[in-house]
Amino acid sequence: MENQTEVGEFILIGLTNLWELQKILFPLFLLLYLIILLGNGAIVAVAVTEPQLHTPMYFFLGNLSCLDIFFSTVTVPKMLAGFLSELQTISFSGCMTQLHFFHFLGSSEVILLGVMAYDRYVAICNPLRYTIIMRKQICLILATATWTTGFFHALMHTVMTARLPFCGPNHVEHYFCEIKPLLKLACGSTRLNLMLLNTVTSCIAMAPFVVTLLSYFYIITFLLFKVHSQKGRQKAFSTCGSHLMVVALLYVPVLFNYMLPSVGTVDQREMMVTIIYSAVTPVLNPLIYTLRNQEVKKALQKILCRKPDGLFRTRGPFFTEK
C-alpha cells in the first residue's frame, strides 16, 4: 500500500500529562487489565473444558470473552506504557495496525451481541427447533461471519486512513490511534473518510442493535403471553438480563461516540467514553455472566476443584443436545 505521508510517527497525548495523576492511573488500569485477562480467560476455559456448557449460548459467550481480551489488549498496554514515559510515540505503521485491530475487534463484538440476542430468541421462543436451527454448522457460520465482517469493516477504514497525506502536526489527541483524531491531522480532504465513518460504522452498529431490540421484543411478548410458569419466566429473564446488561454497557458508549456530532471540547469526552467500552466493559462482562449464571458458577467451582492433570480434558463434541 502506498501512502504519501511525510509523518513517520505520531505522538499520543494520552489521558493526562500530570505525573501525580499518572502514578494513580497506572496501577488502576494495570489491575483492570489483569482482571480482564483472568476473568475472560476463565470464561473461555469453562466454555471449552466443561461438556455441559458445549451449547451455542456458551460457544458465543466464549467468542465474546476472546474478543474482550484482544480488544483491551489493543489499547490498554500502550496506555500503561504511556504512563511510564514522558513522550509516547508510535510509528505510522504501528498506528495503522492499532487502528485496524481496534475497529476489527470492536465491530466484531457489536455484531456478536446481535447474534447472541438471536440465539436467545430461538432458545426461548422456539425451543423445540432450537437444536436444529442453532446446530453446530450454523453457529460456526455465524461466528465466522461476525469476525470476517469486523475484519473487512476495519480494513476499509485502515486503507482509507493510510492513503491520506499527513504532513503537518503529529500530536494525536487520544491515548491510542483512534480514527477521529487522526483525520483531524490529515492534510488532504477527509470528506469520504467521514462519510464512511458516519454511514458504514453506523450501519455496523445499528443493524445488530435493531436485531437485539426485535429479539427481545418477541422474547418479552412470548414470556408474558405464552409462558405461565413463574420459574420458567425467572430463568429466561435471568439469562436475558445478563445479555441486556452487556448490550447496554457496549452499545450506549459506542453510539454516543460514533453517532453523535462532535462539537466543542469533545476530545476529552470521547476519551472517557472510549475507556468505558475498551477497558471497563471487558472487566464487567465476565462478572455479569458469572454472578447471574448458576451453570457458569458451578462449572468454575468444578474446574477449581479439579485435579491439574484433568483440567483440559473434554468429552464429546463441542455442541451437545439438550
Side-chain angles (χ1 to χ4, degrees):
M1 184 194 310
E2 292 186 6
N3 61 72
Q4 298 176 347
T5 180
E6 296 178 7
V7 173
E9 65 179 16
F10 293 101
I11 298 174
L12 302 176
I13 299 300
L15 288 177
T16 178
N17 57 2
L18 299 177
W19 174 242
E20 294 298 323
L21 188 55
Q22 288 178 350
K23 289 193 294 184
I24 298 173
L25 292 176
F26 178 80
L28 174 62
F29 280 101
L30 178 60
L31 178 62
L32 286 176
Y33 185 57
L34 292 176
I35 294 174
I36 289 170
L37 297 180
L38 292 174
N40 288 285
I43 295 291
V44 174
V46 165
V48 170
T49 60
E50 288 303 309
Q52 69 267 28
L53 300 185
H54 289 179
T55 62
M57 174 181 169
Y58 294 105
F59 170 71
F60 293 126
L61 180 57
N63 274 263
L64 180 66
S65 293
C66 286
L67 284 169
D68 278 337
I69 292 173
F70 299 148
F71 189 43
S72 59
T73 301
V74 171
T75 57
V76 177
K78 189 65 176 176
M79 183 202 302
L80 293 173
F83 291 143
L84 301 178
S85 60
E86 294 183 6
L87 190 65
Q88 188 180 4
T89 61
I90 185 170
S91 66
F92 182 86
S93 59
C95 186
M96 293 301 109
T97 301
Q98 189 180 48
L99 183 152
H100 173 76
F101 279 97
F102 179 81
H103 283 272
F104 164 35
L105 298 166
S107 55
S108 296
E109 183 162 343
V110 167
I111 298 169
L112 182 63
L113 289 177
V115 172
M116 293 175 73
Y118 175 74
D119 171 69
R120 291 299 82 208
Y121 159 73
V122 178
I124 294 171
C125 299
N126 204 350
L128 297 180
R129 298 188 61 202
Y130 179 64
T131 54
I132 298 174
I133 297 174
M134 300 302 293
R135 57 190 181 275
K136 180 178 179 180
Q137 293 83 355
I138 298 298
C139 291
L140 291 174
I141 290 172
L142 289 172
T144 303
T146 295
W147 289 74
T148 303
T149 303
F151 177 84
F152 283 106
H153 168 248
L155 185 63
M156 174 195 69
H157 286 306
T158 305
V159 171
M160 294 303 298
T161 304
R163 290 174 64 86
L164 292 172
F166 293 90
C167 53
N170 65 339
H171 288 71
V172 180
E173 296 177 344
H174 218 292
Y175 62 90
F176 74 101
C177 284
E178 170 63 311
I179 189 168
K180 282 187 177 181
L182 281 174
L183 294 180
K184 293 179 182 179
L185 302 179
C187 299
S189 173
T190 59
R191 182 178 300 176
L192 179 58
N193 299 73
L194 291 172
M195 183 191 72
L196 291 173
L197 185 64
N198 292 330
T199 56
V200 180
T201 303
S202 296
C203 290
I204 289 289
M206 287 304 297
F209 185 62
V210 171
V211 170
T212 301
L213 291 180
L214 289 176
S215 297
Y216 279 102
F217 172 77
Y218 284 111
I219 287 172
I220 293 171
T221 303
F222 181 83
L223 292 176
L224 291 177
F225 295 104
K226 294 190 177 181
V227 176
H228 304 290
S229 167
Q230 190 68 22
K231 185 177 179 181
R233 285 182 181 178
Q234 288 179 349
K235 183 177 180 181
F237 277 124
S238 176
T239 303
C240 296
S242 300
H243 182 251
L244 280 175
M245 290 175 68
V246 172
V247 167
L249 285 169
L250 181 64
Y251 274 111
V252 172
V254 166
L255 296 177
F256 185 83
N257 246 12
Y258 289 100
M259 297 197 69
L260 291 182
S262 299
V263 292
T265 56
V266 70
D267 300 312
Q268 196 68 25
R269 183 201 72 185
E270 287 187 351
M271 279 195 283
M272 295 301 105
V273 173
T274 304
I275 286 175
I276 294 175
Y277 60 82
S278 66
V280 178
T281 301
V283 172
L284 297 177
N285 284 355
L287 294 177
I288 292 170
Y289 278 107
T290 53
L291 294 177
R292 295 178 59 88
N293 192 308
Q294 293 297 325
E295 288 181 315
V296 175
K297 284 195 285 189
K298 289 178 182 178
L300 281 172
Q301 292 171 357
K302 187 176 178 181
I303 284 183
L304 292 175
C305 298
R306 187 182 297 175
K307 294 181 180 179
D309 60 346
L311 183 60
F312 292 102
R313 188 176 300 162
T314 59
R315 302 188 301 272
F318 190 87
F319 293 95
T320 57
E321 300 290 332
K322 284 196 173 184

